[in-house]
Amino acid sequence: MSGASVALLGLAAVLLQISRALPPPAAQAHFLRAQQLEESGDLQGASDSFQKAIGVYPDYADAFRARGKVLEKLSDLEGAKHHYLEATRLAPETAANHFSLGLACEQLNDLSQAAQSYSLAIKLDPMMSAAHYSLGIVLEREGALESALPSYREAVRLNPNHLASTLSLGDALKRNADFKEAEVVFRSALSMPATITTPNAKPHLRLASLLQQQQRLEEAAVSFRNGLEVSPSNAPAQFSLGLVEEARGNWSGAKAEYEKAVRLAPGHVPVQRYFAKFLRKHGDLSKAAESLQGILDIDPTDKVLHVELAEVMAQFGDLSRAETSYQNALALDPRLQSAHTKLGILQRQLGKLDDARTSLETALVLNPRDAETAETAEICTQLGVVHKMRGDLRSAAARYQQAIDADPSHAAAHGNLGIVRMLQENWEDAEESFWEALRLDPDYDGAYYSLSGVLSLRGKVDEAKALVRRRIELATEKGIWPFRLSMTQLDSNRLLENRLRQEEEYAKKYAAALGSNADSGHSEDPIARLSNAIEAPPGLHQLTHVIRGVRSMENSSDWALRRWEECLELGSGSVACAYGTTWFETWLQVMADSSLSQKMPHYLEKGLRYTVGGSAIGYQCLFAATALGFNCTGYELLQCLVADSESLAADLKSSVPVDVEFVCGDATNADLSTTGVLWLNDALWPAEVRLKMLLKAVSVMPPGSTVISYQPKPDDQQQKQLSQLRDERMMTASVSWNPAQHFFLWTITP
Ligand SMILES: *[C@@H]1O[C@H](CO)[C@@H](O)[C@H](O)[C@H]1NC(C)=O
Ligand SMILES: *[C@@H]1O[C@H](CO)[C@@H](O)[C@H](O)[C@H]1NC(C)=O
Ligand SMILES: *[C@@H]1O[C@H](CO)[C@@H](O)[C@H](O)[C@H]1NC(C)=O
């Protein structure tokens, strides 16, 4: 539209106005007074004065519109609409009256009336950019995106420095999938004088989302950062920047951005939840747990979150907290069957066998009665494991069979049934079960392990060795740390890592306590008890070094293979191939037995030795030498383990005056006449070998010395011969193959 025609239109309006009678001065006076009151903020006074102007002159169109505006501010939309209607009736040629009516109708959600009024205003004053803009909004709200676009375009053309209409145009274009033009529009908003003088985050963030949607991630990140620089507390933008960095594969960056978003909107649960998932996915389990705990602090009734927290804690290796979280979830909904199952498994790992059984039996009850499913099979298998650990092999076998009946393809049920048959010395059936387990699951690590044992027991040594090699290959392919080839109960690298960290921290704590002269007082705490009983031995500073050496040897596939090959050669003697480790904490806990720790200074003073039967790679001797100061001898049947022990001890012997030696042979042939402490790793020894060992101990060891074993005294018939084993103490502690292993201690009496 040319400048001349605009002027003409303006002139026409003036002429129309003039052609109507002017309001009388009294009405004008009220009008002016009302305007002053409105300006001073007295809306009610203003409304009354406009009303007086109208009272004096009922055709006063401007007064109607002005009062309508005041009523709008007073939130009386209906009243406002009524006044605008009057104004348009009295002065239908005034564009502003229609525009105001349109705004009131729009707010009252009368969109078609609003659109009609805006269109009339535009007809009367095509230059009125605000009317174009508002028409665009109403049309878009009515779902007519295509028709809205020309209105926005016109509004922007008429008033190119108006940010809101520019952003609306860009948004509409984006919604219309016209990304190129949308980008041009958003970029134009960035260079507007208005946004240059007063920086505004909106155009940056609009552009950022557009770029994000187009997967132009680097540019999007830049735009989000620009927007956040202007408006640093914009949590949604902060979160979006995290999403962009995540999509770019910049995980540490994403994490930092999500953290900021959570800090900005701590109560925003979806963001926290997403963040927790992200952390879990990227292995930051302690942060994930923290985040989940944060949401639970806001809403402790979310059972799904409790379960998630439990899973994270279990993954993290904090089994006690995982147990609590499952219990919290179950308190909210006792029918969560899978939570009962997982809780049962955890409790078994924690050595709480009664609780584990209860949880698993509850899960089984909750499982649909007639379900012959993998689920039933899993629960029954887990129940079987609990029975087996309680020593009830018959119930265990029955549960495994029940699992197989429910789901014949459940490999773990066959594998575990094989173990029970093995323990029942039913080699043939055991072999069959393991083969079936491997047929069903060719990656089943435990089945390789057990089957190789059974095969060698049955004299099929070459077949057994081939299986072991395959097992090591598979573990390497799957990233299973070699350590886990020798350890049951540690079914993830992370669990193992945590376990090792805990062990090392404990050893450091022990060394610190012994190193300081402070009296730790009377206590049940093993560290306190031992540090009160004995002096710091000269090798104490080597303790953590020794532990690390042992653990790193155990974590080597070469070592595992060497050990197995040699062990499987033993054929029927290869039951003893099973390997397990006693953690330093557990070992120390046994050593801190009140009676033993009391006698310990005497043993050391008299130069009595520490002797280990079945010393494996010698760690108990190394513990005894460094942590307590004993001279130690380890007896071990496998040549290769003796060599390993010697290599581990070499460092120690060169730096500490301690006598640690390893003998390849049967401890029953040992000279025990100077032994103060005899530790027997006899969990799997044949009964007759164990009896021979104990008889030798009571006849040769000095009175007052101590014998430690994994099993109770042999049965009644031999009781008389072993009556010198007195003052029996039993304790329970966690070892690598059993979280609730029993230990038996006796004192030898004359
Ligand atoms: C990853 O994100 C962080 C935080 O947003 C950022 O500082 C860093 O530059 C990003 N890294 C790359 C390679 O873009
Ligand atoms: C165990 O060995 C694996 C593979 O060699 C290695 O990646 C891992 O870090 C080791 N773990 C420990 C605790 O030493
Ligand atoms: C260890 O044996 C050496 C001799 O080999 C002896 O001198 C030392 O006293 C013994 N130490 C203890 C604590 O028995």
Side-chain angles (χ1 to χ4, degrees):
M1 191 172 289
S2 74
S5 60
V6 174
L8 276 176
L9 264 171
L11 185 60
V14 173
L15 288 173
L16 276 169
Q17 199 108 33
I18 287 171
S19 71
R20 208 183 309 123
L22 281 173
Q28 285 190 29
H30 284 301
F31 189 95
L32 286 174
R33 170 90 188 117
Q35 280 183 324
Q36 283 163 357
L37 287 169
E38 186 179 354
E39 231 160 80
S40 73
D42 179 1
L43 295 179
Q44 198 52 57
S47 168
D48 294 347
S49 282
F50 282 129
Q51 182 58 45
K52 282 181 191 153
I54 293 167
V56 172
Y57 178 51
D59 287 348
Y60 204 162
D62 287 350
F64 274 105
R65 190 175 80 240
R67 183 155 192 254
K69 287 227 153 31
V70 172
L71 292 175
E72 235 181 278
K73 285 185 198 162
L74 287 166
S75 301
D76 177 6
L77 284 175
E78 288 291 351
K81 179 181 168 185
H82 166 76
H83 280 70
Y84 296 143
L85 273 171
E86 281 302 299
T88 55
R89 185 181 60 77
L90 293 166
E93 72 290 349
T94 306
N97 290 340
H98 295 285
F99 180 61
S100 293
L101 177 57
L103 287 176
C105 292
E106 187 184 336
Q107 290 175 81
L108 285 164
N109 276 322
D110 183 354
L111 298 184
S112 69
Q113 175 63 57
Q116 210 177 317
S117 296
Y118 293 140
S119 298
L120 266 171
I122 290 167
K123 209 177 210 169
L124 292 164
D125 180 4
M127 306 290 291
M128 196 180 197
S129 67
H132 288 285
Y133 174 44
S134 293
L135 179 58
I137 290 176
V138 167
L139 290 171
E140 200 178 341
R141 275 180 69 187
E142 283 186 311
L145 184 60
E146 294 274 359
S147 329
L149 279 171
S151 294
Y152 289 139
R153 280 212 178 88
E154 189 60 9
V156 171
R157 193 187 65 79
L158 290 168
N159 187 1
N161 199 23
H162 188 247
L163 181 61
S165 47
T166 307
L167 294 180
S168 291
L169 173 58
D171 287 341
L173 288 165
K174 180 182 164 199
R175 218 162 286 146
N176 206 32
D178 197 345
F179 298 134
K180 259 203 170 123
E181 199 189 340
E183 185 178 343
V184 172
V185 169
F186 288 139
R187 288 200 190 277
S188 77
L190 285 173
S191 51
M192 262 178 200
T195 55
I196 290 171
T197 47
T198 320
N200 191 313
K202 282 180 188 161
H204 291 290
L205 298 179
R206 297 296 225 287
L207 178 60
S209 311
L210 178 72
L211 296 166
Q212 181 186 13
Q213 188 176 343
Q214 294 174 277
Q215 297 297 314
R216 289 158 65 184
L217 300 175
E218 288 190 25
E219 295 166 87
V222 171
S223 287
F224 276 123
R225 288 210 170 82
N226 291 337
L228 283 164
E229 204 167 293
V230 182
S231 166
S233 58
N234 186 328
Q238 195 62 68
F239 180 66
S240 296
L241 178 55
L243 289 174
V244 169
E245 289 299 351
E246 185 183 354
R248 290 180 66 201
N250 177 1
W251 291 314
S252 62
K255 183 167 138 189
E257 304 301 349
Y258 290 142
E259 258 166 359
K260 287 189 221 160
V262 167
R263 228 176 296 129
L264 288 171
H268 196 276
V269 172
V271 164
Q272 291 242 33
R273 253 194 140 111
Y274 185 91
F275 187 38
K277 274 216 169 71
F278 170 88
L279 290 167
R280 195 173 168 191
K281 194 163 105 196
H282 294 288
D284 191 341
L285 298 175
S286 64
K287 270 243 157 67
E290 203 178 287
S291 184
L292 288 168
Q293 191 57 62
I295 319 175
L296 282 168
D297 291 344
I298 300 170
D299 178 11
T301 67
D302 190 331
K303 63 188 179 189
V304 178
L305 279 182
H306 283 290
V307 169
E308 265 175 49
L309 180 57
E311 287 169 1
V312 170
M313 292 323 301
Q315 234 180 321
F316 186 57
D318 187 341
L319 302 185
S320 302
R321 267 189 75 192
E323 183 189 23
T324 309
S325 292
Y326 278 127
Q327 283 163 340
N328 289 339
L330 288 168
L332 291 165
D333 180 359
R335 303 197 57 79
L336 286 173
Q337 181 230 304
S338 71
H340 284 289
T341 308
K342 289 178 187 159
L343 175 60
I345 295 172
L346 270 181
Q347 288 166 328
R348 188 252 296 156
Q349 289 174 310
L350 284 165
K352 300 179 174 178
L353 298 182
D354 289 336
D355 293 342
R357 183 174 167 182
T358 307
S359 296
L360 291 166
E361 280 172 354
T362 309
L364 200 57
V365 170
L366 289 173
N367 208 35
R369 274 236 143 215
D370 50 350
E372 297 196 345
T373 60
E375 193 95 9
T376 311
E378 170 64 11
I379 301 169
C380 290
T381 303
Q382 291 296 342
L383 266 170
V385 174
V386 173
H387 285 304
K388 187 199 79 183
M389 291 175 75
R390 293 159 63 113
D392 181 355
L393 297 185
R394 277 182 48 166
S395 303
R399 286 298 191 185
Y400 296 141
Q401 194 56 56
Q402 189 184 354
I404 292 168
D405 293 342
D407 176 11
S409 70
H410 198 78
H414 292 280
N416 280 292
L417 181 58
I419 290 175
V420 167
R421 287 169 162 176
M422 209 172 155
L423 291 169
Q424 293 167 331
E425 304 194 5
N426 178 356
W427 311 129
E428 200 173 325
D429 288 344
E431 183 181 336
E432 192 185 310
S433 292
F434 292 134
W435 280 122
E436 181 61 9
L438 279 179
R439 190 186 64 78
L440 293 166
D441 177 6
D443 284 356
Y444 188 168
D445 180 64
Y448 279 99
Y449 173 70
S450 305
L451 180 54
S452 64
V454 170
L455 287 171
S456 90
L457 286 169
R458 304 191 76 199
K460 306 179 189 176
V461 172
D462 290 335
E463 226 179 314
K465 283 186 181 174
L467 273 181
V468 160
R469 280 191 293 273
R470 178 72 198 121
R471 178 177 181 231
I472 291 177
E473 272 168 30
L474 266 180
T476 311
E477 278 167 28
K478 294 204 283 180
I480 293 175
W481 286 356
F483 206 123
R484 284 170 53 206
L485 293 165
S486 313
M487 309 283 150
T488 55
Q489 304 290 323
L490 285 167
D491 25 7
S492 77
N493 289 351
R494 185 171 294 277
L495 266 176
L496 180 56
E497 194 177 21
N498 272 358
R499 192 68 204 67
L500 296 180
R501 188 182 323 119
Q502 194 180 313
E503 177 178 52
E504 194 168 317
E505 277 165 14
Y506 191 87
K508 285 186 180 150
K509 202 170 134 200
Y510 172 74
L514 241 66
S516 87
N517 287 324
D519 183 349
S520 314
H522 254 306
S523 171
E524 289 304 300
D525 174 36
I527 292 184
R529 206 183 258 166
L530 283 169
S531 64
N532 284 337
I534 60 166
E535 299 291 317
L540 189 61
H541 63 284
Q542 291 276 18
L543 176 59
T544 47
H545 178 73
V546 152
I547 291 177
R548 277 186 211 158
V550 168
R551 301 306 171 215
S552 97
M553 180 170 287
E554 286 171 331
N555 189 35
S556 127
S557 37
D558 277 356
W559 170 76
L561 188 60
R562 223 180 325 127
R563 181 171 67 78
W564 266 311
E565 300 225 308
E566 188 175 333
C567 192
L568 292 170
E569 295 279 358
L570 296 177
S572 65
S574 66
V575 183
C577 285
Y579 186 85
T581 213
T582 308
W583 310 111
F584 177 71
E585 297 103 295
T586 303
W587 176 84
L588 200 77
Q589 192 181 328
V590 176
M591 289 303 120
D593 163 70
S594 58
S595 169
L596 171 54
S597 58
Q598 244 173 33
K599 296 191 193 97
M600 205 171 286
H602 168 75
Y603 298 158
L604 290 165
E605 196 184 315
K606 293 274 168 198
L608 294 180
R609 302 182 75 83
Y610 195 106
T611 301
V612 180
S615 57
I617 57 173
Y619 56 90
Q620 284 141 336
C621 263
L622 299 175
F623 292 171
T626 51
L628 303 174
F630 274 105
N631 288 332
C632 181
T633 311
Y635 291 85
E636 169 56 49
L637 289 175
L638 289 187
Q639 181 60 50
C640 67
L641 294 187
V642 172
D644 290 334
S645 305
E646 274 164 359
S647 82
L648 283 171
D651 261 6
L652 185 66
K653 288 202 271 195
S654 67
S655 66
V656 178
V658 69
D659 175 16
V660 175
E661 56 172 19
F662 297 96
V663 178
C664 183
D666 190 335
T668 56
N669 299 323
D671 171 11
L672 297 177
S673 61
T674 56
T675 290
V677 182
L678 175 66
W679 178 298
L680 301 175
N681 287 309
D682 57 357
L684 294 172
W685 287 12
E688 64 280 6
V689 176
R690 191 165 171 266
L691 179 63
K692 188 174 166 201
M693 184 77 244
L694 291 175
L695 288 172
K696 168 122 193 198
V698 294
S699 62
V700 178
M701 281 169 70
S705 50
T706 302
V707 177
I708 300 156
S709 160
Y710 287 108
Q711 298 185 56
K713 244 195 233 188
D715 63 24
D716 286 341
Q717 202 201 326
Q718 284 115 14
Q719 279 289 7
K720 256 214 332 258
Q721 291 167 280
L722 293 177
S723 59
Q724 282 161 276
L725 289 180
R726 293 264 179 83
D727 181 23
E728 178 174 277
R729 286 92 74 194
M730 190 194 86
M731 57 175 87
T732 303
S734 166
V735 290
S736 73
W737 62 92
N738 184 350
Q741 173 68 45
H742 293 324
F743 291 86
F744 296 85
L745 289 84
W746 301 282
T747 306
I748 292 183
T749 53

